[in-house]
Structures are given as C-alpha cells and as structure tokens.
Amino acid sequence: MPEIKEGLGDGFHINHFIDNTRPEQRELKDFWVDSTAAESVTAPPGSLASQGHVHPLPPTSPYIRGQNGSQTKIYPPDFAGNSHISSHHFRLAKVEPSPRNVFLCFEYPVDTSAEPVECAPVNENDDIQSDFKLQDNSDNCSDTSDCSDSGDANNANSNPADSDSNEPKRKVNEYWLQIQLLKHTSVQIFSRDDWENAICKVNRTDRGFKVGLAFEFRDHVLAFLTLDLLIQFHWSSKRSDLPSQQANIYTEYRRFLRQLVEWMQSRRDRPRAQRTGLAITIIRNTSEIFHGGGLYTMEEVFHKAGLSINITERELFDSPSRTARLVSAFMDFTIQAYEEIWDFMNPFLRDFLLTCTREERSLYSDTLMVYGKDRVNCTPRFKQLLSNYQACLEDQGDEKTWERCFGEVGTPYDVFEPDYIKRALTRHDVILGPLIFGHDLWQKLSLCLGPKITSKPFKANVLTKYFSQPGFETSPSSLDLSFYDILFNAPRAQRGMSSWAHTLLYRSKSAGYLNVDSKSSLEHIDGPPRTALLLANVTQHSEIYTVGPLDFCGVAERLNGSGGSEVIMACKLDPRQPVFYQKMQLVGAETAKLRGKGLNKVGLSNSQNNNVMKKLSKYDPQPKRKQEEDDGNKENPSTEPTEAKRPYKKRRRSADRDLMTGI
C-alpha cells in the first residue's frame, strides 16, 4: 500500500498539475469510475459498466467504496440528486499531500439567491497547516498548552495564472475531499487523448489497473488508480470535519509528540500489559500515530534508529534513548520524503503523465538504505559497532530468546549511526539529543549544530517530560557512548572509508524484514528464497508491484521506438499504438519472468504465445501514420496534376568508379 513517500508523491504530482494549469482548465466536467464485478452484473445490458469499461458516475449513483463496515459513497452527498456535477462549476483549487491520504479542495461559486451550503472560510492561518513547508515552531510555545505548531501559511499551491486571470473576483465556497489510499493506489494525470482513446477503450481486466475515481477536466483527467478498488472517499464542506486528523510529524512535530506520549501511556496503563510483541509490528498496526509507516518505511526507520527488528514494544518504548531515536529516524525519513521525492519523480513525467521503462522501475531502490537490498553501505563507525554487536551475540551461544535488559552485562549495544538521522538532529524546534545521548555527552556533541541549538541544548518538550517520571532509565545504556566522540562523520572520511554489510532476511507471521541484525527469534530466510525477494529481482523479473512511485499500477510504460523515439503505453494494450508495440509490451513482461528463472534463452511456450495473441486480438490497434495519410489522400484527391513517379531503382557502383569520383 502507499506509504509516506508514495502518498506525498501523489500529492506533489497533483500540485504540479495545479501550478501549471489555469483555473478554467481545472473546472470539473464529470466523475468516472470502474464498477466492481458485482456492480457490473447489475448494470443495464450493453452499458459501459456491464462491459467492464470505465464510465461516468451519475448524480444518483449508489456506489460505495472503502473498508467493510465503514464504506462511504463516492459521489459528494451534498450535491447528489438530479443536477449534474458540472452545473455546480467545481474547480480544483489546491491539494494537501499527506501520508496515505490526499486532500483535494474544490471551489465553487456561491449562489447568492439561496442559502449557501455551510462552508469553511478561506483562511490562510487555518489550524490544519499545509504539508508543503517545513514549519518552525515558536520557542515560547509550551508543550503542555493546546497551541498548534506555528509557521507561515503554505503558499505552494499559489498559481500565477490564478492571479493574472481577467475573471471578476467572486465569493466561493470550499468543498473538501479526503481520498484514503487503503491499498495499492496511485495518481495519474492523463491527457484527453490518453483517456478517450486508450483508457476508455480497454476494459478493467486488460488495462492493468482499475479506476477508483477520476476527475474529468477540460484537457486532462486526474485519476486515482487501484488494483482492487479498495479506496475510500470522504466529502465535507470543512477541512476540519474530515476523519483523518492525525498529526503530521513534518508540519506538527509537537502535536505528534503529544499524541505519541498519550499512546505510550495508554499502552503502559493497560491491566496486565506485558508488551512483549514485536515493536515493528505494533507500530505498523498503529496507523493513528506513525501515519504512513508501513512495512518498508519502518524497516528503513529502524535501521536509521539503530534498532533491531526483533526488539519488543517494552524494550523500545521504556527506553528514552531508543524512543527518541525512533522518533528522530521517523522524522528524518519524512523530511527526506518532502525534500526529495518530487525531484525523483519529475524527470519521468511526459506532460503530466508519469512514465518509466521496465529498467527504471528499480531506480527507487537506490534511495533506500536496507529494504530489498542485498547489502548496506555503512560508515566505519557503524561497521565497528556492528562487528561488536555480532561478537556479543556469538558469545551468547545458540540460545534463541533473550531480552535487551538495560545495563545488564552481556547485552549488546545498539548499532546506531547519528549520520543516518542528521536531518532530524539538526532541527532546532524540538531537541531530542539529551534523550538519545544523555545530558553530559549531548552538551559536548551539540556544539557543532549552530547557535539555535547550542543556546538551548536542553529545551524541554513533552517527550523529555514523559521520561523524567520515575521508573525510566536515567542514562542511555543501550548505546556504547565511547564511540560518539564526534556527532557526525566528516564527509571525506565517509566517502573514502565506507564499508558494506550484507543484509539478513527474517520472516514473521505477517511480513518479511531485511536487517543487519544477525540474531533473531524470527525465521531466517537465506539462499534463493532471499534472492527472489530482493528489489533488483522483483522489479525486473516479475509483474509484482513493490515500492516507490515508479513501481505502482497505472504508471505508463515507456518503450523504445524507432530512431531513438519513445513509445508511451498509457495502459496495457493501448489501442493507439501499432500491434508491434502492444506485442512488445506483453512479450517483454513474459520474458522478464523467464529471466528471473534463468530461462530467458528458452523463449515463450506455446501457451504463453497463445495468451499474448488472444489479448492482442481483443483490441484493434491504430493504423500506422503513413497508412492514415494515404487513406486521407484517397478520400480527398488533389485536383492539381501530379507527375508520375517512377520507382527508385537501385544501382550498384563499383569500387573503381567510387575512387575515380573522388579524384
């Protein structure tokens, strides 16, 4: 499912569309959806829905989507009825990216002759801050007060074309939509040609994705694409009334910490709470705190924080150092997502369409540290800590279960490299260094972080107050403090002396985890089963989607055309393209699977070839451009006399004659 980076990438993609179009180009013409199998059966015979094609959503539509027991209607409830949505003149005004949610704001003109629908005033200083700008919390904002993070209002969605419009200003209402990305979902923005001549012509079972909801504008169609239509929609006239109100750690750091402390306290206060479950599993299942922290995100976060995937909830959240490192690593990963994910995606856009080749599907793995990787690049300090950790585990023998007791002799120190959370440690609004390293060491290490931190290196926050209670350790005994004489490695030393460590794959009942931890009570997976799960193998030798914005359903595939040109397939079996490229796409997918099995020289079997030809026979490809031109000339013959053209006759020239010509 989409995690932090995928969710933010979807929002930034939409924001790019808003920034580069005029308001009138974003006026909503219609909604489009794919029906479920059950809905197609009950659809009128001969209709688009009954044939498995994407179709407009009427105002009276009863379609609902979402998780069982809490499904909601797709069509905006305040505008359902007999009036078509285009009559309300909705215009897409702005977007708020968020992990696992996308918030769209539509504006529509107020009908002054009738009672307006209750709406939220347009207020740049709304309590719910936009997610585009890193907020700077005021130093005098107390953690115990009910104040929200301060900061300038977000202007990332401002469009110069909006202000230059010659249209008279008029009062507008806002209408918000929250799209919950429950499962595998991505955003795509099609041109009208892509939509009408490709997506609408290929049914949902053949095109490679299903349309959860699409917004038709003048020249483009914004679509939320899924594999299983597991997506949910919430409409409201107020942003604050939408159900997802979790604190975003990037824009609301202090509020996030308050929610985390309340959650940790509630977990401790439960009667007979042993808290011996895997911490990484508990975190993944607690979406109201670590929003967007799924399988691969938490693997990356645990690696950054120097935490073993085998650590229990009690071992993690009863330790001030480990908890502070977890929060800092989660913040660091989120900062990286905000600062880098759009720069990663932008080169793959063609107009507003996100495209990639099969080879480019694996590029996202280069941005990760441990997930799906065969080995991990690490600093000399990390490598030495890892060696000490492994030596300590070897001394413990073959015992499978053990506990990381604080300060106990023989307990291995955590393998933690501060370089991996540098973005978070250099933030001055919330300082967690004293919890990570202890008071005395942090006072020394913080001297390299600039005056905003060195002037107040022990600024209190709600997390430090929580761990000041009796019953918590007073020093970070989970770290070998002798290794931290400096906070960050020098860039030259990091480049010239970096090392590699092989990852180890462990599997629990619910998921598989890659880590450098060499001892775990989980099942250890090695050999071919481990190799099969590496991203380099899955992205290139299977049709299974993995992680990252380039390896989700709905990303248009880019093929190599003649003369170095690009052939873009908006969907599988794109009928606009000649059958040659349709077949190239299908055969390429099957051949990639054979390469993964080492059978690429064998070629496709008869049954595989038959399946390819069966799919090709469903859709008539577009004729070649030359043929179209010839047909057009036959229909509209020119009245001007034409000179009869003789066929070109090839003539061979001898080598001697060529030599004489050059003299």
Side-chain angles (χ1 to χ4, degrees), residues 246-260:
Q246 294 96 334
N248 185 322
I249 189 173
Y250 184 77
T251 57
E252 302 169 292
Y253 201 174
R254 295 173 182 268
R255 182 168 167 245
F256 172 86
L257 291 179
R258 289 197 295 271
Q259 292 183 356
L260 174 62

Side-chain angles (χ1 to χ4, degrees), residues 399-568:
E399 186 179 350
K400 291 293 184 183
T401 57
W402 53 281
E403 188 175 7
R404 298 167 181 82
C405 298
F406 306 124
E408 181 177 321
V409 177
T411 299
Y413 292 112
D414 291 344
V415 185
F416 168 60
E417 173 54 77
D419 280 25
Y420 299 160
I421 59 170
K422 187 174 183 178
R423 299 177 188 87
L425 287 177
T426 52
R427 278 189 61 148
H428 60 84
D429 50 348
V430 175
I431 298 174
L432 300 181
L435 290 177
I436 296 175
F437 298 101
H439 184 281
D440 295 339
L441 183 56
W442 177 248
Q443 189 167 25
K444 171 189 173 184
L445 296 178
S446 63
L447 296 176
C448 68
L449 297 179
K452 288 188 176 180
I453 294 179
T454 55
S455 61
K456 294 182 179 180
F458 306 107
K459 185 165 55 177
N461 56 71
V462 68
L463 195 61
T464 58
K465 292 177 181 178
Y466 172 78
F467 281 115
S468 65
Q469 303 176 80
F472 294 109
E473 57 170 323
T474 57
S475 63
S477 57
S478 58
L479 295 180
D480 187 348
L481 300 183
S482 64
F483 276 82
Y484 302 102
D485 54 337
I486 59 172
L487 185 58
F488 304 125
N489 291 288
R492 180 178 299 177
Q494 192 172 356
R495 288 196 304 267
M497 301 174 61
S498 61
S499 305
W500 293 91
H502 282 277
T503 58
L504 302 171
L505 175 63
Y506 297 98
R507 179 174 292 160
S508 70
K509 293 180 180 179
S510 59
Y513 302 102
L514 276 166
N515 200 266
V516 294
D517 188 342
S518 61
K519 187 170 185 180
S520 174
S521 59
L522 305 177
E523 178 188 3
H524 180 217
I525 308 297
D526 203 1
R530 172 185 177 274
T531 304
L533 294 176
L534 298 178
L535 283 179
N537 184 70
V538 179
T539 58
Q540 299 304 304
H541 302 144
S542 78
E543 288 298 283
I544 299 174
Y545 295 110
T546 57
V547 298
L550 298 183
D551 201 27
F552 263 47
C553 72
V555 177
E557 185 170 359
R558 212 167 61 247
L559 305 177
N560 293 323
S562 59
S565 62
E566 295 180 345
V567 177
I568 297 176

Side-chain angles (χ1 to χ4, degrees), residues 552-660:
F552 263 47
C553 72
V555 177
E557 185 170 359
R558 212 167 61 247
L559 305 177
N560 293 323
S562 59
S565 62
E566 295 180 345
V567 177
I568 297 176
M569 310 290 286
C571 63
K572 291 183 179 178
L573 297 170
D574 187 336
R576 299 172 302 171
Q577 304 299 345
V579 68
F580 173 81
Y581 293 111
Q582 293 185 20
K583 186 175 181 180
M584 178 191 293
Q585 185 182 33
L586 297 177
V587 171
E590 296 297 329
T591 304
K593 297 176 186 177
L594 294 176
R595 281 200 303 269
K597 301 176 182 178
L599 302 174
N600 49 307
K601 293 185 178 180
V602 175
L604 271 61
S605 64
N606 290 334
S607 61
Q608 289 173 317
N609 275 314
N610 290 337
N611 288 335
V612 168
M613 298 311 296
K614 184 178 179 181
K615 291 180 180 179
L616 290 174
S617 64
K618 287 185 178 182
Y619 304 98
D620 294 328
Q622 175 177 298
K624 295 182 179 180
R625 294 185 180 276
K626 182 70 172 80
Q627 186 65 37
E628 288 179 345
E629 294 174 0
D630 293 343
D631 293 343
N633 292 336
K634 291 179 182 179
E635 294 176 3
N636 302 296
S638 174
T639 56
E640 298 180 4
T642 59
E643 182 181 352
K645 295 183 179 180
R646 295 181 179 180
Y648 176 74
K649 183 178 180 180
K650 295 183 179 180
R651 294 181 175 86
R652 299 183 63 181
R653 299 172 63 180
S654 67
D656 292 342
R657 185 175 177 182
D658 289 336
L659 290 173
M660 292 297 295

